[in-house]
């Protein structure tokens, strides 16, 4: 007789992602092998199992003095790098072969083999030191550890368990597997020799108490895995003891004549040996538990604490008789309060493995009562992963014992089905399903299974779901509730037959009818289940977007869509007929057709059901004026009128008939209202408003241009403006309907359909711009910059403040700015002040709003300067200097030093102003302004500057216009308005300060004193003249590092700098910021090899700036 016992131990290391299987077997024939038993010298050493089928073992030492696995024969004394650590790290050899070779070396020289093992643990900790044989024989463990600590690499905090990379990817798994296989192979003899295990446990205990994290972490993991392997051995011994005891009892109970005395003695001896081995294994486990676990489960490092909790869960699961008691469970319970989510997560998963086994519930009863409140509270943990596992654990507790959780405990979990985090909600849905929807009476279930519809097993469950939904008081979250239950209660949620019967059929005798609130809730839930089945993805707010469905999920989606279409094509007209007077129910029911497979109407010859549906929708439109219902009807018609379906013509006819009737009614009502005038009564007003609301709702989704609704809407609005007696609701609806009419016209224009306005539109805009420029160049420029600001604001609203400057939207605004710049033409003198004013308004807008994060961040609208660069080429050379001076009033030294990508618009705009002027450009790479070219551009050959600039009267100055019209700088730029803005005079007056309180020369005095009125450019130039006349004060400029350089004399005013290549960003991209072409926009360019040559070209004698510029370059009266 041979009885085999097999035990499987899995490696619980989650990080490795793999498991290690250990098979421990012992046959009764071993117990009967008297030869091995009687010749045993040491206590507690059972013989190895028979190895007849095993191949002959190779010699432990092969040629060259190496073991077969490649390890050096004498670790610590040779230079061979093939250590046990490296063999395990590489993982190329089978672990059992590696361990078998080590066992052979241990039998030959146990000190040298143990030295290999000690160095293995030291090197696995990342220590570069090596324990030599004399150290091992003459020094205590504490001294060895202290010596190894001194040789630890302090330059790096990484060690094998934490190093990233493919080389170390499987190291943790290999490390754990080696320890498990080592104990498995040594369990028959070596672990009982009172030498090997004592040495290893002593070393690991010392290392686990080290202040070096690498030693502590590695040794704790090794000790915990060692403990797990010993638990397997102990469990195997316990099973063998029970088997031996049963065999002994069976033999002893035989009659005296048949009883084998020798066998009884053998069994007694074997039982004694097994008990001695068990005691010794328990001593080893106690040493590890008390020497390492009780100290490290509360280690300062969360990962070490997590290792301890994970392994104690394995011990309690494998050997529940020894470990599943309060003495060990308390450590898991205490650690539920750990401050790190990683550790709390390990606690919950360890407990889940225990609560999964319902046979263990009696042993967990005291723990459950003690820590249940903490577990329930963890369902609200701030770490979502922890909350999910806590809900699953509570579900297991509920499954094991209905009485374990109170109603209050359950209610704490119920509301989580409405959580926005889907894994939490799904876990709560499983709990809700287990608590409310699980059938626990097999006989009742079998009896109900034969029933259909409202009397089916799902009838009461659907009623219960509706009741739960109503009592949760979160009615607007029906889609979330359905999504939470979808994985666990899909069969219930797809029972549309039952739902339809509950809504349509009268209750049978003794059955309570659904109330109005219950019917509304059921319809809402039913529509949500239809949407979930048809779309096969969570509702908005859950998940990161639509994912790609698998083939199985796609097939399920198609099947569900066909199923719901077959059910509701027939049932929907009946449901609409029953509830057509209830706006809320009808609005929900009208969402169902959008999820139909509309081909079924024609392929299944169900046109009569389509006609019934259209009839009911028409009745709903006639009966209701609620916006939600009308929009639902409009959307349904839009879906049914899709051109891809053959039913389109039938639906289009029905829609046209409905619109004809509504338009006819609306036209007559408008005529009556206009004739009645102020004498119109409520009936006249209601008739107009009712038909207008219905037409507006349909005009939103349908092109009703051929019915010319705009005409009557305009008449109503005109009457309201002229007489001022139009009811507000009619005015709002008329405006909205007119708005839709215009939008549909724009759609036709966009799609290329003929329009009476299209051919003349371009000419009208061109003529408008031309007339605007002729009337007032400055106001035209202000209008252009304001329109660009509005586009910029809209883009910021859509994309946020951190714009992608390479996006098509930004490029579109820059392209529009480039086209606007072309409208100024080639005569820069005529447009001089207009362009300068445009730049001023653009600068004001760019710096208008500081960044809420602080002064070290760029202003909110700073990126607008990149758009403004398009107009820099239209500035005269000396005007660039003036605009640049105005720009510097807004800049701080901090801004001048910034070179990050977010500051590039400022750098680009500043350089565009410095191009062609006498200022240095801003360097992007060095953080300072580059020095100006030492050479002065030759003026030889330039025509004499004999022209005087024409003077203009002060009436055309920018200052006077600034007083009469809002500018982008002083105006909160509207988001979606016309560029033609007029300021409220009263509001403007409020902003004008008291003139009496102004000081001579102040801004108010300047604005309101006619003698001081001059153009903005003149003002800036005058300030510069005054500064130079007061003593030749040097013009200073902020530079990186605080260096300020004096500007050269007047003879260098016309010098052009030599431009260097500059670096735009950390990505190594280069941008030529100083290119100046009239018809191109500023774009990112690769480095140009001839950029320097372009910068050093001789001056263009036909440049308009050369004609108007004098030698001084400033101080000239311009207008």
């Amino acid at each position: 007789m041979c009885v085999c016992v097999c035990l499987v131990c899995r490696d619980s290391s989650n990080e490795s992602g793999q498991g290690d299987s250990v098979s421990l077997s012992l046959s009764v024939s071993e117990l009967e092998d008297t030869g091995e038993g009687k010749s045993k010298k040491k206590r507690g050493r059972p013989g190895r199992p028979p190895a007849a089928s095993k191949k002959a073992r190779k010699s432990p030492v092969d040629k060259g003095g190496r073991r077969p696995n490649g390890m050096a024969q004498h670790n610590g004394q040779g230079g061979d790098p093939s250590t046990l650590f490296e063999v395990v790290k590489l993982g190329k050899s089978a672990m059992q072969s590696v361990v078998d070779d080590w066992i052979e070396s241990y039998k030959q020289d146990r000190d040298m083999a143990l030295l290999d093992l000690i160095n293995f643990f030291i090197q696995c900790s990342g220590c570069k030191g090596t324990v030599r044989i004399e150290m091992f024989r003459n020094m205590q463990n504490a001294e060895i550890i202290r010596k190894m600590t001194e040789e630890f690499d302090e330059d790096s905090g990484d060690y094998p368990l934490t190093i990233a990379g493919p080389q170390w990817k499987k190291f943790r798994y290999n490390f754990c597997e080696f320890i498990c296989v080592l104990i498995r192979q040594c369990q028959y003899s070596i672990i009982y020799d009172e030498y090997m295990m004592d040495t290893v446990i002593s070393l690991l205990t010392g290392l686990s108490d080290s202040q070096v994290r690498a030693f502590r972490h590695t040794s704790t993991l090794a000790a915990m895995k060692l403990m797990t392997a010993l638990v397997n051995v102990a469990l195997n011994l316990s099973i063998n003891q029970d088997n031996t005891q049963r065999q002994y009892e069976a033999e002893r109970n035989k009659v005296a004549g048949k009883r084998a005395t020798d066998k009884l003695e053998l069994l007694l001896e074997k039982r004694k040996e097994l008990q001695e081995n068990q005691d010794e294994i328990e001593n080893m486990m106690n040493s590890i538990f008390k020497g390492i676990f009780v100290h490290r489960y509360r280690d300062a490092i969360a990962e070490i604490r997590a290792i301890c909790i994970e392994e104690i869960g394995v011990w309690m699961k494998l050997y529940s008789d020894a470990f599943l008691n309060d003495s060990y469970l308390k450590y898991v319970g205490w650690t539920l309060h750990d401050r790190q989510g990683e550790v709390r997560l390990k606690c919950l998963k360890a407990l889940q493995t225990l609560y999964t086994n319902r046979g263990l519930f009696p042993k967990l009863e005291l723990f459950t009562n003690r820590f249940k409140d903490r577990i329930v509270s963890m369902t609200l943990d701030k770490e979502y992963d922890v909350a999910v596992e806590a809900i699953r654990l509570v579900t297991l507790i509920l499954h094991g014992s209905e009485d374990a959780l109170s109603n209050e405990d359950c209610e704490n979990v119920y509301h989580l089905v409405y959580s926005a985090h889907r894994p939490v909600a799904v876990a709560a849905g499983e709990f809700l399903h287990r608590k409310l929807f699980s059938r626990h009476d097999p006989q009742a279930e079998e009896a109900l299974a034969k029933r259909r519809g409202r009397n089916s097993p799902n009838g009461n469950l659907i009623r219960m779901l509706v009741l739960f939904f109503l009592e949760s008081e979160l009615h607007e979250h029906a889609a979330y509730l359905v999504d939470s239950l979808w994985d666990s209660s899909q069969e219930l949620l797809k029972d549309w037959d039952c739902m339809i019967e509950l809504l349509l059929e009268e209750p049978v005798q003794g059955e309570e009818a659904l109330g109005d609130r219950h019917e509304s809730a059921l319809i809402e839930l039913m529509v949500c289940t239809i949407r979930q089945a048809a779309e096969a993805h969570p509702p908005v707010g859950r998940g990161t977007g639509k994912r790609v469905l698998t083939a199985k999920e796609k097939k399920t989606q198609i099947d569900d869509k066909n199923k719901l279409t077959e059910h509701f094509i027939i049932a929907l007209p009946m449901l609409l007929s029953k509830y057509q007077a209830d706006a809320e129910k009808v609005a929900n029911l009208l969402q169902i057709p959008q999820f139909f497979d509309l081909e079924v109407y024609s392929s299944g010859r169900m046109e009569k059901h389509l006609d019934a549906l259209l009839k009911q929708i028409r009745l709903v439109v006639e009966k209701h004026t609620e916006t939600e219902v009308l929009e639902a009807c409009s959307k349904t018609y839009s879906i049914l009128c899709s051109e891809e379906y053959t039913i389109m013509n039938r639906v289009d006819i029905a829609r046209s008939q409905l619109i004809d009737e509504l338009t006819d009614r609306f036209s007559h009502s408008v005529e009556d209202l206009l004739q009645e005038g102020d004498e119109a009564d409520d009936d006249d007003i209601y008739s107009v408003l009712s038909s207008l609301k219905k037409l507006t709702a349909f005009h939103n989704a349908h092109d009703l241009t051929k019915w010319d609704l705009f005409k009557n809407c305009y008449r109503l609005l005109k009457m309201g403006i002229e007489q001022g007696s139009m009811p507000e609701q009619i005015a709002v609806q008329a405006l909205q309907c007119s708005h839709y009419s215009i939008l549909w016209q724009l759609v036709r224009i966009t799609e290329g359909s003929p329009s009476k306005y299209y051919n003349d539109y371009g000419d009208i805009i061109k003529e408008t711009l031309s007339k605007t420029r002729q009337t007032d160049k400055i106001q035209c420029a202000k209008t252009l910059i304001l329109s660009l600001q509005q586009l910029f604001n809209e883009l910021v609203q859509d994309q946020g403040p951190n714009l992608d400057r390479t996006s098509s939207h930004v490029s579109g605004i820059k392209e529009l700015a480039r086209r606007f710049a072309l409208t100024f033409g080639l005569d820069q003198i005529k447009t001089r002040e207009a362009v300068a004013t445009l730049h001023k308004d653009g600068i004001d807008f760019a710096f208008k709003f500081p960044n809420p994060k602080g002064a070290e961040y760029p202003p909110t609208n700073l990126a607008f300067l990149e758009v403004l660069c398009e107009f820099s080429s239209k500035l005269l050379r000396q005007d660039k200097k003036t605009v640049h001076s105005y720009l510097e009033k807004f800049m701080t030294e901090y801004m001048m030093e910034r070179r990050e990508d977010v500051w590039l618009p400022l750098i680009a705009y500043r350089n565009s102003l410095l191009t062609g002027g006498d200022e240095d450009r801003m360097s992007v790479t060095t953080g300072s302004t580059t020095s100006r070219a030492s050479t002065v551009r030759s003026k030889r050959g330039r025509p004499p500057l004999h022209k005087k600039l024409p003077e203009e009267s002060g009436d055309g100055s920018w200052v006077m216009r600034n007083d009469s019209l809002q500018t982008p700088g002083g105006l909160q730029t509207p988001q979606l308005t016309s560029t033609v803005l007029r300021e409220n005079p009263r509001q403007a007056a409020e902003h004008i300060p008291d003139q009496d309180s102004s000081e001579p020369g102040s801004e108010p005095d300047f604005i309101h004193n006619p003698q001081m009125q001059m153009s903005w450019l003149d003002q800036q130039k005058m300030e510069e003249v005054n500064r130079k006349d007061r003593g030749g004060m040097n013009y200073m400029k902020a530079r990186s590092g605080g260096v300020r350089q004096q500007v050269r004399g007047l003879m260098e005013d016309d010098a052009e700098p030599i431009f260097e290549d500059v670096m735009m960003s950390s990505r190594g991209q280069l941008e030529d910021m100083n290119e100046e072409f009239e018809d191109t926009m500023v774009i990112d360019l690769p480095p140009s090899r001839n950029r320097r040559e372009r910068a050093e070209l001789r001056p263009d004698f036909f440049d308009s700036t050369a004609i108007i510029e004098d030698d001084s370059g400033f101080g000239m009266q311009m207008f």
Side-chain angles (χ1 to χ4, degrees), residues 326-345:
D326 297 333
S327 298
Y328 296 97
L329 281 169
K330 65 183 180 183
Y331 295 104
V332 181
W334 292 340
T335 316
L336 287 171
H337 297 269
D338 196 281
R339 61 182 178 274
Q340 293 295 326
E342 173 190 1
V343 183
R344 298 195 300 273
L345 189 65

Side-chain angles (χ1 to χ4, degrees), residues 515-525 582 584-585 588:
D516 181 69
R517 290 179 65 242
H518 294 80
E519 288 178 334
S520 297
L522 177 54
I523 289 174
E524 187 175 358
L525 289 168
D582 192 314
E584 181 185 359
K585 295 184 179 69
N588 274 321

Side-chain angles (χ1 to χ4, degrees), residues 971-1006:
L971 170 71
Q972 183 172 357
T973 306
Q975 306 300 323
L976 294 170
T977 61
S978 170
T979 55
V980 180
L981 297 175
R982 296 191 179 276
E983 182 177 356
N984 186 344
R986 182 181 303 173
Q987 183 180 2
E990 292 175 355
H991 290 286
I992 298 177
D994 187 3
Q995 297 184 20
D996 296 335
S997 62
S998 63
E999 299 179 0
S1002 64
E1003 182 176 359
D1005 182 57
F1006 174 82

